[in-house]
Structure formats: structure tokens, C-alpha cells
Amino acid sequence: MFVERDIAELMRQIARQDVLEIGSNATVKFVRGASLAHIAESYGFEYDETFRLGRNKEFVLVRMYRDPSPEARAREAAAITAHPRAGNGGTVPGMRQGTLKPLPEAGQAVAVMKDRIRFDIAGAAVEKRQQMTAYACCAFAAVFMAVLGKPVLALVVGVTLTAFLFGAFRFGAVRRSRIAQRLRDAGYHQVRDERGAERFLAPGRQLPGHANPFAS
């Protein structure tokens, strides 16, 4: 039921908008967002970026743009012809009917899309500003304990939290590095955008522009 609702909402966006926003709770496996993004690609959209949103960053938003290239328009026409009831209980490109589980022929493409989403999400965890903020919170907690007259507890809290954060950031960096290698192996190239963030682009693609990042 939820899958059909998600697909129907995606198809409504595809029919009406040049910019898609595919959102989900961050606790949901990334395969759902990757599957929906793969469907959108079949209708001539191109992946842009993934963000975390919400007060506690509990939501994930995948943003995609309509690609005006002839190749993308041909993909869209083929998808419309092959799946005339998509969004109304019919089949959709690359998925088992009624599910967001990839068919064997779409498995690799969905896996790559999942890696692109994970790479963008993991980027926030390795940003220096976020790391400094987290370490500053550790220092504040230790100072607060010291002010309360508990210097030993302050030392334990400060050291424990700092060690935990260091390990978590290191683990995140290693995992992101492995994702990056898989994307390079798949033919994607790594660039930095205007904010200095690392991005992976499909072969032959450039960084997004203004109104439509995939327009020529």
C-alpha cells in the first residue's frame, strides 16, 4: 500500500514538475529512495543531490532534475510506452510489480544510485564544521561538570565523548571512501561543487547550472 502510494506520488511529480523531490525517513533503507530515483531516471530525470532535513536530520530528500537531452527524452518515451499504467497499479521501469525491489537487470543501476545517495549523506558527517561543533559540545559538557564541582567526572565525560566522536568520524570517513571507490569503478567522476563539497557525476556530466542544471 505504501509502495503504491510512493510510486503514484512520484509519477504525479514526473508528469507535472521539472524538479523532483523524493523524501523519506532516514531510518528507511536507502534502497527505497534509490529505487524511486531509478524509476525517475527511466522517465528522463537526472540525479542531482541528497540532503538530510528536519530538526534532528531524520529525513532524507533526493533531488532530481528533468534532463532535456534527446537521450533522456527517448528514455521517457520508451518508459511511457512500456508502462502505460505506471502510478495506477501497473508496472514501473526496473521494479517487480507492486514493489520497489529491483528486477535483475536493474539491480546494478539501483546499487549505484544507492551509493550516490549514501555518499552525499555521509558527506555531512565528515564536514569540518560539523566535527568542530560536535567536539565543542563535548568540551561544554566537560566544563559544565567541572563547574558543578565534579572534576573527575568532567574528565571521564570529556575523554569518553571525544574518543567516541573520533571513532565515529573515522568510521564514517572510511565507509565514504569505500563508497567513492565503488562509484569510480562504475565510471563516475569525482568533482567539487561551488561549496567545496565532493560530488560524483555520471560519465559525460558537468556540475549543475542554474534553472535547469542539465540543460545545454
Side-chain angles (χ1 to χ4, degrees):
M1 181 177 180
F2 292 113
V3 168
E4 293 178 355
R5 181 198 63 189
D6 289 344
I7 292 174
E9 170 59 26
L10 176 66
M11 296 308 300
R12 281 193 291 269
Q13 288 196 60
I14 288 173
R16 302 171 183 173
Q17 302 170 198
D18 288 333
V19 181
L20 303 183
E21 292 187 340
I22 303 169
S24 68
N25 190 290
T27 59
V28 178
K29 290 183 178 180
F30 288 122
V31 68
R32 177 179 289 253
S35 294
L36 290 170
H38 175 74
I39 295 170
E41 277 191 331
S42 301
Y43 287 90
F45 283 78
E46 184 68 28
Y47 176 83
D48 178 31
E49 194 174 5
T50 301
F51 306 87
R52 279 191 183 274
L53 299 172
R55 185 174 182 180
N56 298 312
K57 305 297 183 182
E58 68 271 29
F59 295 102
V60 169
L61 184 71
V62 179
R63 183 170 295 158
M64 304 185 72
Y65 289 83
R66 191 182 299 276
D67 183 351
S69 71
E71 295 81 6
R73 302 282 56 82
R75 287 203 313 271
E76 179 185 26
I80 291 172
T81 300
H83 307 277
R85 297 190 62 248
N88 292 305
T91 60
V92 294
M95 301 295 136
R96 302 181 189 276
Q97 186 166 2
T99 76
L100 287 174
K101 296 179 179 179
L103 292 167
E105 59 268 25
Q108 180 59 30
V110 173
V112 170
M113 179 62 71
K114 184 164 61 173
D115 276 342
R116 295 183 77 182
I117 292 171
R118 281 176 166 166
F119 184 84
D120 285 347
I121 291 299
V126 299
E127 287 182 356
K128 294 298 183 182
R129 183 171 58 182
Q130 179 167 327
Q131 292 186 20
M132 294 307 296
T133 299
Y135 286 128
C137 289
C138 289
F140 176 80
V143 170
F144 182 73
M145 292 291 180
V147 169
L148 292 179
K150 301 177 180 179
V152 175
L153 182 59
L155 179 62
V156 171
V157 168
V159 171
T160 302
L161 289 179
T162 300
F164 172 79
L165 286 175
F166 178 81
F169 287 136
R170 179 59 183 166
F171 174 78
V174 170
R175 183 174 60 177
R176 193 170 190 246
S177 177
R178 290 174 179 171
I179 294 171
Q181 186 59 55
R182 289 200 299 268
L183 289 170
R184 284 191 289 269
D185 292 343
Y188 287 76
H189 61 283
Q190 192 169 0
V191 298
R192 286 189 179 273
D193 63 18
E194 67 281 359
R195 298 168 300 174
E198 293 178 314
R199 304 282 301 281
F200 270 94
L201 303 179
R205 292 292 182 185
Q206 297 180 351
L207 282 171
H210 299 289
N212 188 332
F214 303 105
S216 56

